Amino acid sequence: MFGEGHPLPDPGLIKARVRSPGEKRAFVFAGVERTPIVSEAVADVFRTHAPGDVQLFPVNVEGESERYFVVNAARTVDCIDEARCREVQHYAEDDPFPEYAGEYRWINGLRIDPARTDGAHVLRPKRFRTAFIVSEEIKDALERVGSLGVAFERVTTSDGG
């Protein structure tokens, strides 16, 4: 539910466990890379720079005393620039998942049109909610936090498209 890109009612107590112990990270994706779980410092970035674009729900991470949060991108925006993407695959009508017909199965080299983001700093693209997109401002602030378990990939081109 945290990967759908719309506001959610408070889910109550959320619990998570560490599947692969290792170096502690401030930002990771759980559940097939759809659910962002972040530290207090990363949550503060979202609170400060994108309060209208996200919801933050406390999550108890097994074995951790620090506070963590699930970040729900509360906006879905129709902003994919198919012509600039390297490769686009759609679900077909006869696909085993007919409920996804017309949606994107996968996009290689995702590109969005920044003019169509409605000023969102955090969003999930319509019909390809697998992607969790943040603005350059958010990216820079997150990198200053450090110890991230995510990598950033530019989805706009240098000419603004």
Side-chain angles (χ1 to χ4, degrees):
M1 75 178 163
F2 298 112
E4 295 301 312
H6 57 77
L8 296 169
D10 186 341
L13 180 64
I14 302 171
K15 293 182 180 182
R17 56 190 164 95
V18 177
R19 196 177 309 158
S20 301
E23 187 176 339
K24 191 182 294 190
R25 300 295 187 178
F27 189 149
V28 297
F29 283 94
V32 195
E33 298 196 17
R34 300 267 321 236
T35 305
I37 297 179
V38 303
S39 68
E40 180 87 43
V42 170
D44 286 343
V45 168
F46 287 108
R47 275 189 200 102
T48 301
H49 298 282
D53 297 337
V54 299
Q55 294 173 291
L56 297 166
F57 299 112
V59 58
N60 290 336
V61 177
E62 184 179 283
E64 292 294 327
S65 60
E66 297 173 39
R67 292 182 60 182
Y68 287 88
F69 297 84
V70 168
V71 179
N72 181 48
R75 294 182 69 180
T76 301
V77 181
D78 188 7
C79 61
I80 294 177
D81 186 345
E82 269 194 53
R84 291 180 185 251
C85 296
R86 269 194 302 274
E87 178 185 2
V88 175
Q89 298 174 11
H90 292 273
Y91 283 98
E93 294 290 332
D94 61 347
D95 193 273
F97 303 100
E99 65 273 19
Y100 294 121
E103 295 210 5
Y104 297 106
R105 177 186 289 274
W106 190 250
I107 299 176
N108 184 15
L110 174 65
R111 294 293 178 263
I112 66 166
D113 180 350
R116 294 174 28 203
T117 62
D118 297 329
H121 285 278
V122 178
L123 63 91
R124 298 251 186 197
K126 186 176 183 181
R127 298 185 305 138
F128 192 61
R129 292 178 297 241
T130 299
F132 183 86
I133 297 178
V134 300
S135 67
E136 190 80 19
E137 178 183 330
I138 300 282
K139 174 192 162 291
D140 292 344
L142 291 172
E143 287 177 333
R144 286 191 294 275
V145 170
S147 191
L148 302 176
V150 298
F152 297 97
E153 182 179 326
R154 180 171 289 283
V155 294
T156 59
T157 57
S158 57
D159 65 1

